mmCIF file of all heavy atoms in Angstrom:
data_model
loop_
_atom_site.group_PDB
_atom_site.id
_atom_site.type_symbol
_atom_site.label_atom_id
_atom_site.label_comp_id
_atom_site.label_asym_id
_atom_site.label_seq_id
_atom_site.Cartn_x
_atom_site.Cartn_y
_atom_site.Cartn_z
ATOM 1 N N GLY F 1615 -46.353 43.964 -10.125
ATOM 2 C CA GLY F 1615 -45.213 44.375 -10.929
ATOM 3 C C GLY F 1615 -45.343 45.779 -11.490
ATOM 4 O O GLY F 1615 -46.269 46.540 -11.160
ATOM 5 N N THR F 1616 -44.391 46.140 -12.370
ATOM 6 C CA THR F 1616 -44.284 47.489 -12.895
ATOM 7 C C THR F 1616 -44.178 47.455 -14.413
ATOM 8 O O THR F 1616 -43.440 46.618 -14.965
ATOM 9 C CB THR F 1616 -43.050 48.201 -12.306
ATOM 10 O OG1 THR F 1616 -43.152 48.209 -10.887
ATOM 11 C CG2 THR F 1616 -42.946 49.627 -12.819
ATOM 12 N N ALA F 1617 -44.889 48.361 -15.076
ATOM 13 C CA ALA F 1617 -44.780 48.538 -16.523
ATOM 14 C C ALA F 1617 -44.313 49.964 -16.801
ATOM 15 O O ALA F 1617 -44.801 50.914 -16.158
ATOM 16 C CB ALA F 1617 -46.138 48.293 -17.191
ATOM 17 N N ILE F 1618 -43.365 50.116 -17.721
ATOM 18 C CA ILE F 1618 -42.856 51.448 -18.078
ATOM 19 C C ILE F 1618 -43.276 51.768 -19.504
ATOM 20 O O ILE F 1618 -42.796 51.153 -20.474
ATOM 21 C CB ILE F 1618 -41.314 51.507 -17.976
ATOM 22 C CG1 ILE F 1618 -40.821 51.036 -16.639
ATOM 23 C CG2 ILE F 1618 -40.847 52.941 -18.234
ATOM 24 C CD1 ILE F 1618 -39.282 50.964 -16.531
ATOM 25 N N LEU F 1619 -44.157 52.728 -19.647
ATOM 26 C CA LEU F 1619 -44.564 53.245 -20.961
ATOM 27 C C LEU F 1619 -43.680 54.451 -21.266
ATOM 28 O O LEU F 1619 -43.400 55.259 -20.359
ATOM 29 C CB LEU F 1619 -46.031 53.669 -20.917
ATOM 30 C CG LEU F 1619 -46.655 54.172 -22.227
ATOM 31 C CD1 LEU F 1619 -46.679 53.079 -23.287
ATOM 32 C CD2 LEU F 1619 -48.059 54.708 -21.972
ATOM 33 N N SER F 1620 -43.236 54.594 -22.502
ATOM 34 C CA SER F 1620 -42.307 55.678 -22.847
ATOM 35 C C SER F 1620 -42.618 56.231 -24.235
ATOM 36 O O SER F 1620 -43.742 56.154 -24.686
ATOM 37 C CB SER F 1620 -40.861 55.161 -22.759
ATOM 38 O OG SER F 1620 -40.544 54.713 -21.463
ATOM 39 N N GLU F 1621 -41.582 56.805 -24.871
ATOM 40 C CA GLU F 1621 -41.672 57.375 -26.222
ATOM 41 C C GLU F 1621 -42.655 58.562 -26.238
ATOM 42 O O GLU F 1621 -43.707 58.500 -26.866
ATOM 43 C CB GLU F 1621 -42.090 56.297 -27.234
ATOM 44 C CG GLU F 1621 -41.119 55.127 -27.290
ATOM 45 C CD GLU F 1621 -41.577 54.032 -28.202
ATOM 46 O OE1 GLU F 1621 -42.579 53.358 -27.896
ATOM 47 O OE2 GLU F 1621 -40.934 53.846 -29.258
ATOM 48 N N THR F 1622 -42.274 59.638 -25.584
ATOM 49 C CA THR F 1622 -43.160 60.801 -25.429
ATOM 50 C C THR F 1622 -43.712 61.323 -26.769
ATOM 51 O O THR F 1622 -44.898 61.615 -26.851
ATOM 52 C CB THR F 1622 -42.451 61.924 -24.652
ATOM 53 O OG1 THR F 1622 -41.789 61.365 -23.519
ATOM 54 C CG2 THR F 1622 -43.439 62.986 -24.207
ATOM 55 N N PRO F 1623 -42.876 61.459 -27.820
ATOM 56 C CA PRO F 1623 -43.436 61.919 -29.093
ATOM 57 C C PRO F 1623 -44.488 60.981 -29.676
ATOM 58 O O PRO F 1623 -45.240 61.380 -30.565
ATOM 59 C CB PRO F 1623 -42.216 62.018 -30.013
ATOM 60 C CG PRO F 1623 -41.048 62.144 -29.078
ATOM 61 C CD PRO F 1623 -41.402 61.313 -27.907
ATOM 62 N N GLU F 1624 -44.504 59.726 -29.187
ATOM 63 C CA GLU F 1624 -45.448 58.757 -29.715
ATOM 64 C C GLU F 1624 -46.648 58.514 -28.790
ATOM 65 O O GLU F 1624 -47.408 57.561 -28.976
ATOM 66 C CB GLU F 1624 -44.732 57.453 -30.054
ATOM 67 C CG GLU F 1624 -43.725 57.667 -31.166
ATOM 68 C CD GLU F 1624 -43.062 56.386 -31.636
ATOM 69 O OE1 GLU F 1624 -43.508 55.296 -31.238
ATOM 70 O OE2 GLU F 1624 -42.080 56.485 -32.399
ATOM 71 N N ILE F 1625 -46.803 59.393 -27.773
ATOM 72 C CA ILE F 1625 -48.072 59.454 -27.052
ATOM 73 C C ILE F 1625 -48.680 60.847 -27.236
ATOM 74 O O ILE F 1625 -49.732 61.146 -26.680
ATOM 75 C CB ILE F 1625 -47.947 59.095 -25.562
ATOM 76 C CG1 ILE F 1625 -47.016 60.071 -24.834
ATOM 77 C CG2 ILE F 1625 -47.448 57.678 -25.388
ATOM 78 C CD1 ILE F 1625 -47.694 60.963 -23.847
ATOM 79 N N TYR F 1626 -48.019 61.680 -28.068
ATOM 80 C CA TYR F 1626 -48.495 63.038 -28.318
ATOM 81 C C TYR F 1626 -49.849 62.999 -29.010
ATOM 82 O O TYR F 1626 -50.030 62.346 -30.043
ATOM 83 C CB TYR F 1626 -47.479 63.769 -29.202
ATOM 84 C CG TYR F 1626 -47.828 65.213 -29.463
ATOM 85 C CD1 TYR F 1626 -47.690 66.164 -28.450
ATOM 86 C CD2 TYR F 1626 -48.278 65.637 -30.695
ATOM 87 C CE1 TYR F 1626 -48.010 67.498 -28.681
ATOM 88 C CE2 TYR F 1626 -48.593 66.965 -30.939
ATOM 89 C CZ TYR F 1626 -48.459 67.884 -29.920
ATOM 90 O OH TYR F 1626 -48.773 69.206 -30.157
#
Side-chain angles (χ1 to χ4, degrees):
T1616 302
I1618 308 175
L1619 183 65
S1620 299
E1621 301 176 291
T1622 315
E1624 295 185 11
I1625 62 111
Y1626 184 73

